[in-house]
Amino acid sequence: EAGVAQSPRYKIIEKRQSVAFWCNPISGHATLYWYQQILGQGPKLLIQFQNNGVVDDSQLPKDRFSAERLKGVDSTLKIQPAKLEDSAVYLCASRAPRGFKGNTIYFGEGSWLTVV
Amino acid sequence: AQKITQTQPGMFVQEKEAVTLDCTYDTSDQSYGLFWYKQPSSGEMIFLIYQGSYDEQNATEGRYSLNFQKARKSANLVISASQLGDSAMYFCAMREDTGNQFYFGTGTSLTVIP
């Protein structure tokens, strides 16, 4: 079974530029998450989708971050304009169906963003 | 209040020895799940083990076991026979059945010494 796919793996941009990250969850996983992980810290939830609807985006900095999941499968996370403090790993995850290992979430390899 | 607390920022263990990584949690839910993830330097978060709040037996997955003490609200990860490849960050996480979020701790960095 294919895992959560993310791209690009690495991105370096200048502040005030824009960047977009793409995620393809595990087939059949209706719930998709985007997490931001700053070096040395645990993941912080940015947004959670259930199919193509937003469940929780309370910690998403909406003045610069946006995310969509138009067809309930793939998702994109965009940052515009980027700030230095956005340098982090952006992790996409999807959740197993209810009853399977406690609905555990599976992560992609992450997209490393460096803003200079 | 922190939902997940990991008090050990860094741990060292000799190769082939066992090591325990601590995790305490805070919830008022009766039904919840506890998870451990491993994050090597490559960045990917790898699911290791799951324990349900109603599970009476401690979960085990190969060399990983979860020491679940419900009354103390602790869910410690035990790694037996440590290997050099076990060197990584380890995160404890919790999912409450009433909500949708996964709460993560701040992680413990484990270094296995040859």
Side-chain angles (χ1 to χ4, degrees), chain A residues 1 26 29 95-106, chain B residues 35 47 50 95 102:
Chain A
E1 179 183 78
I26 294 173
H29 286 195
R95 193 168 80 189
R98 186 167 288 277
F100 180 74
K101 288 194 185 290
N103 285 144
T104 195
I105 59 174
Y106 294 90
Chain B
F35 307 81
F47 166 69
Y50 159 76
R95 176 192 50 76
F102 271 66

Side-chain angles (χ1 to χ4, degrees), chain A residues 65-76:
Chain A
F65 285 65
S66 64
E68 60 182 12
R69 193 184 183 197
L70 291 175
K71 297 181 180 179
V73 181
D74 294 8
S75 176
T76 55

Side-chain angles (χ1 to χ4, degrees), chain B residues 7-91:
Chain B
T7 58
Q8 305 155 313
M11 290 282 287
F12 293 86
V13 63
Q14 203 76 36
E15 193 178 6
K16 299 180 186 177
E17 297 291 312
V19 64
T20 298
L21 306 183
D22 294 342
C23 172
T24 56
Y25 60 92
D26 180 31
T27 182
S28 55
D29 279 22
Q30 296 301 309
S31 180
Y32 50 89
L34 297 158
F35 307 81
W36 277 92
Y37 289 84
K38 171 185 178 182
Q39 188 176 42
S41 56
S42 60
E44 184 180 5
M45 293 281 272
I46 301 166
F47 166 69
L48 294 178
I49 196 166
Y50 159 76
Q51 177 85 41
S53 58
Y54 290 118
D55 294 341
E56 294 184 353
Q57 289 194 331
N58 288 339
T60 60
E61 292 281 352
R63 295 186 297 111
Y64 304 108
S65 60
L66 199 152
N67 184 357
F68 181 45
Q69 298 187 48
K70 196 170 182 176
R72 294 185 177 184
K73 293 189 175 177
S74 76
N76 299 338
L77 177 70
V78 180
I79 305 174
S80 62
S82 297
Q83 301 171 357
L84 296 178
D86 293 335
S87 293
M89 284 290 288
Y90 288 81
F91 290 93

Side-chain angles (χ1 to χ4, degrees), chain A residues 5-51:
Chain A
Q6 288 189 247
S7 68
R9 226 23 203 113
Y10 305 96
K11 192 76 175 177
I12 300 174
I13 61 172
E14 295 182 350
K15 59 184 179 183
R16 291 187 290 272
Q17 285 188 326
S18 64
V19 63
F21 301 113
W22 172 83
C23 173
N24 189 339
I26 294 173
S27 177
H29 286 195
T31 307
L32 184 148
Y33 306 81
W34 283 102
Y35 284 87
Q36 180 193 58
Q37 187 178 20
I38 293 172
L39 189 64
Q41 299 181 15
K44 168 192 161 186
L45 178 68
L46 291 176
I47 189 167
Q48 177 184 341
F49 291 96
Q50 180 72 18
N51 295 308

